[in-house]
Structure formats: structure tokens, C-alpha cells
Amino acid sequence: MAAVLPAEARSETPGVRLFNKWSFEEVEIKDISLTDYLQIRNPVYVPHTAGRYAARKFRKAQCPIVERLTNSMMMQGRNNGKKIKAVRIVQHAFEIINLLTDQNPIQVLVDAIINTGPREDATRIGSGG
């Protein structure tokens, strides 16, 4: 007996889509210096992999970028450890971004991260004293 998937679980296009809606394939990173640190090459359905990305130095660069956003949402006092709540907040925010801009929300997130980076190579951050 074959199991029948519901309509929202079936997708006509092959590949992994975030929340079964947005594809990672059309996302491009315009800043080549960040391609190693923005992980979109291994797509996920839900940003909850339960991976050990803090075990070694620079391993958090291999964490999916949407999961890093979700993890940073959990860092405020009363929200510590509530990852399912943070995943739902990110999902609703992505749906709002998609409705307002008609763009892939993953691409909007990547562009926002690129815009927050330093503009030139020799940028000093901090004060000298």
C-alpha cells in the first residue's frame, strides 16, 4: 500500500526547498569574500538540524544561513532554547517578505547580510584607546 502525500508536501519541482516553499538554487551570493561563510550549498527543509557547529573553530560557517538566523533569534533572556518558536517566527517573516517584495526571502536575507559587511579591506573596528 503506497502512502499518499498531502498536496502541500508534494512539489512539482525536484530539490529541497526551505519550508517546502523557497528554493536555494536561484540564490546567488554577490560578494565573493562571503561565499565560504554563507552556507546555501546544502539546502534544508527546516532550519533545525541539531548540528554541533560550535565544536571546532570555524565550523559555524558550515551551518545553514537560515539556521544561524534562527539561532540568533533565541539569544534574548526569555527566548533561550525555544528554537521551534524561533523557526516559526522566521517562517512567518519570510512569508511577509515574499508577499511584500515578490522575491525569494533567502536571497533577501543573503543581500541583507552582504550589506552589513565592511565596505573595504582595511576597515578598523573599535577605538584606539
Side-chain angles (χ1 to χ4, degrees):
M1 180 181 256
V4 177
L5 293 174
E8 63 268 1
R10 284 181 264 148
S11 80
E12 290 77 24
T13 59
V16 177
R17 296 171 158 261
L18 181 68
F19 300 119
N20 208 12
K21 293 181 181 180
W22 299 292
S23 174
F24 285 87
E25 293 172 359
E26 60 238 12
V27 176
E28 64 174 291
I29 301 173
K30 296 177 180 80
D31 189 0
I32 61 169
S33 64
L34 294 176
T35 55
D36 293 337
Y37 302 104
L38 296 180
Q39 176 32 284
I40 59 172
R41 289 182 296 265
N42 298 329
V44 293
Y45 290 106
V46 180
H48 194 315
T49 61
R52 295 174 47 206
Y53 296 110
R56 281 189 29 212
K57 191 175 183 179
F58 293 114
R59 186 169 297 164
K60 70 179 178 183
Q62 297 169 355
C63 180
I65 192 65
V66 182
E67 185 171 0
R68 288 183 72 182
L69 172 68
T70 304
N71 291 341
S72 64
M73 296 279 295
M74 297 191 304
M75 289 187 188
Q76 299 297 326
R78 63 183 184 180
N79 295 325
N80 282 348
K82 297 178 181 168
K83 191 160 188 175
I84 302 298
K85 185 176 189 176
V87 168
R88 288 192 55 216
I89 291 170
V90 169
Q91 181 180 5
H92 291 307
F94 276 14
E95 288 175 1
I96 292 170
I97 289 170
N98 188 22
L99 288 174
L100 293 178
T101 63
D102 291 329
Q103 294 179 356
N104 188 345
I106 304 169
Q107 181 67 51
V108 173
L109 173 65
V110 168
D111 291 343
I113 292 170
I114 289 172
N115 288 338
T116 61
R119 295 282 181 219
E120 57 187 56
D121 299 303
T123 301
R124 275 187 39 170
I125 300 173
S127 61

